[in-house]
Amino acid sequence: MRNETFPIQVGDSLPDTKLVTYIQDTYQEVGIPTRPLVLICPGGAYAYTSNREAEAFAMQFLAMGCHAAVLRYSCAPACYPTSLTELAYSMALIREKSKEWHVDKILVLGCSAGGHLAASLGVYWQEKFLARALGKDNEYFRPDGLILCYPVITTGEFAHRGSVENLLKDMAKDPVWLAKMSLENQVTNQTPPTFIWHTFTDGSVPVENSLLFVGALRRAGVNTEFHMYPAGGHGLGLANRLTQTAGGDAVQEECTTWISLVRTWIEKQFIETEKKETIDSLS
C-alpha cells in the first residue's frame, strides 16, 4: 500500500489543502494489472470536509479492489472556483501517475456539498479557465464516472442555502452565478456516467436535488443509476456504525446497501468493460 499525502496549492488554496492517496500494490502473481481509482470529496456544506466521509469510504473501495484518494479541498473562506480547480489539479496529478500507480479509470465521489463539487467537475471539466489555470489539456480533468451521495445540486427552490453561500460568498445573490452553480442546468452528453443515491426524508438537502440532476442526465442521454431510499436523514455516510456520529446518529440499516450497489455498478461499468476492451484488442 502506498499511502501518501500531496499538498495541493492552486490559486487561493487554504494552507491545509491536500490529497491523501491509498494505492494498492501490484504483484506479478495477482492477475490485476490495473484498477479504478475512486477520488473522494467529503461533504461539509463547503465549510469543512467531513471525517465521516473520508477514510472510512476509502477503506470500502480498497476492499472492492479499487485504489482510493481523499481530497481535503479548500472551504470557506475560500470560494468558487478554488475547490473546483483543486479537484481538477488532483485529477491531473492522478492521470500523470496512472502508469506508475496502475490506474485505469478515475471515478469522483462526492457527498452533500462534496457531491456538488464532484458534479461540478462532471459538467465543467471542459471549461477553458481550468486549462489556463493548470496548464493542462482539459482531458486531464475528465472523470470517467461520478458517484454522488445525497448531493447538493441546485441553487433554486430546493437549494441548501448554507452550501451556496459558503461557495459563492459575495456572489451568492448574483443571478448569473446562481444559475451557473445550479448544476441540473449544466448537464450535457459529455457528463460522465453517474451513480446517485439519496433519501426521501432528507431534511437538509432535499431529494429534489438528485431528482433534478437525474432528469437532466436522462435528457442528455447519460447512463445513470439512481437509488432513493424511503427513510434516512442527511449525511448518512455508510449508514452504519463505522460512520455514525459521536451521538450514535446517522445509522439507517436499509441505506447500507448503497455501497454494495455501487460496487456492482463499478464492476459492470468499468472493470468488465476494461476486460472486454482488452480481449477485443487481442482478438
Side-chain angles (χ1 to χ4, degrees):
M1 173 72 66
R2 297 179 61 169
N3 179 209
E4 299 179 87
T5 299
F6 296 85
I8 305 294
Q9 292 295 303
V10 293
D12 296 325
S13 294
L14 298 183
D16 59 348
T17 304
K18 60 188 176 183
L19 179 72
V20 182
T21 62
Y22 303 82
I23 306 300
Q24 303 208 45
D25 293 324
T26 299
Y27 300 102
Q28 187 173 359
E29 65 268 30
V30 178
I32 304 177
T34 59
R35 304 171 188 263
L37 183 146
V38 180
L39 174 52
I40 299 161
C41 302
Y46 282 118
Y48 66 100
T49 56
S50 171
N51 292 321
R52 296 177 48 251
E53 297 162 343
E55 189 168 85
F57 277 47
M59 296 302 105
Q60 295 292 318
F61 288 104
L62 289 173
M64 293 180 195
C66 298
H67 304 299
V70 176
L71 176 61
R72 297 292 192 167
Y73 54 90
S74 294
C75 297
C79 62
Y80 184 86
T82 302
S83 57
L84 179 57
T85 308
E86 292 165 351
L87 179 54
Y89 179 91
S90 300
M91 287 286 297
L93 187 156
I94 294 165
R95 281 238 153 80
E96 288 173 345
K97 291 183 173 290
S98 60
K99 186 174 182 180
E100 176 187 351
W101 290 351
H102 303 275
V103 174
D104 51 34
K105 304 289 184 184
I106 307 172
L107 316 179
V108 183
L109 179 151
C111 299
S112 192
H116 186 275
L117 176 57
S120 294
L121 189 65
V123 300
Y124 285 135
W125 63 269
Q126 297 179 88
E127 287 279 284
K128 293 180 180 179
F129 84 85
L130 290 173
R132 289 195 300 268
L134 300 176
K136 299 285 184 183
D137 184 87
N138 286 87
E139 280 294 322
Y140 277 88
F141 315 137
R142 180 183 56 81
D144 293 297
L146 299 177
I147 302 169
L148 307 180
C149 308
Y150 38 89
V152 173
I153 293 293
T154 188
T155 63
E157 178 184 356
F158 300 103
H160 184 257
R161 296 297 170 192
S163 294
V164 175
E165 290 169 4
N166 286 330
L167 175 64
L168 293 178
K169 291 178 66 175
D170 294 341
M171 301 179 291
K173 294 183 180 180
D174 185 328
V176 174
W177 281 106
L178 287 172
K180 187 174 179 66
M181 291 299 100
S182 207
L183 302 181
E184 73 274 18
N185 299 323
Q186 315 304 333
V187 172
T188 71
N189 61 4
Q190 295 301 304
T191 304
T194 303
F195 178 101
I196 310 181
W197 73 276
H198 216 125
T199 63
F200 183 80
T201 56
D202 190 326
S204 297
V205 178
V207 70
E208 281 83 358
N209 281 262
S210 286
L211 294 172
L212 288 167
F213 202 63
V214 168
L217 292 166
R218 169 68 174 168
R219 288 189 294 275
V222 176
N223 189 293
T224 303
E225 181 168 334
F226 172 55
H227 297 275
M228 180 172 65
Y229 293 92
H234 187 65
L236 288 176
L238 298 174
N240 60 23
R241 65 178 184 82
L242 297 178
T243 55
Q244 69 183 15
T245 66
D249 295 326
V251 175
Q252 193 77 32
E253 184 178 356
E254 62 267 41
C255 297
T256 60
T257 60
W258 81 265
I259 197 71
S260 59
L261 291 169
V262 84
R263 176 177 186 159
T264 300
W265 180 78
I266 290 172
E267 290 175 347
K268 292 291 185 182
Q269 288 283 331
F270 303 102
I271 295 175
E272 290 187 6
T273 299
E274 188 73 20
K275 287 180 181 178
K276 183 179 185 303
E277 289 174 351
T278 301
I279 292 170
D280 288 346
S281 68
L282 295 174
S283 60

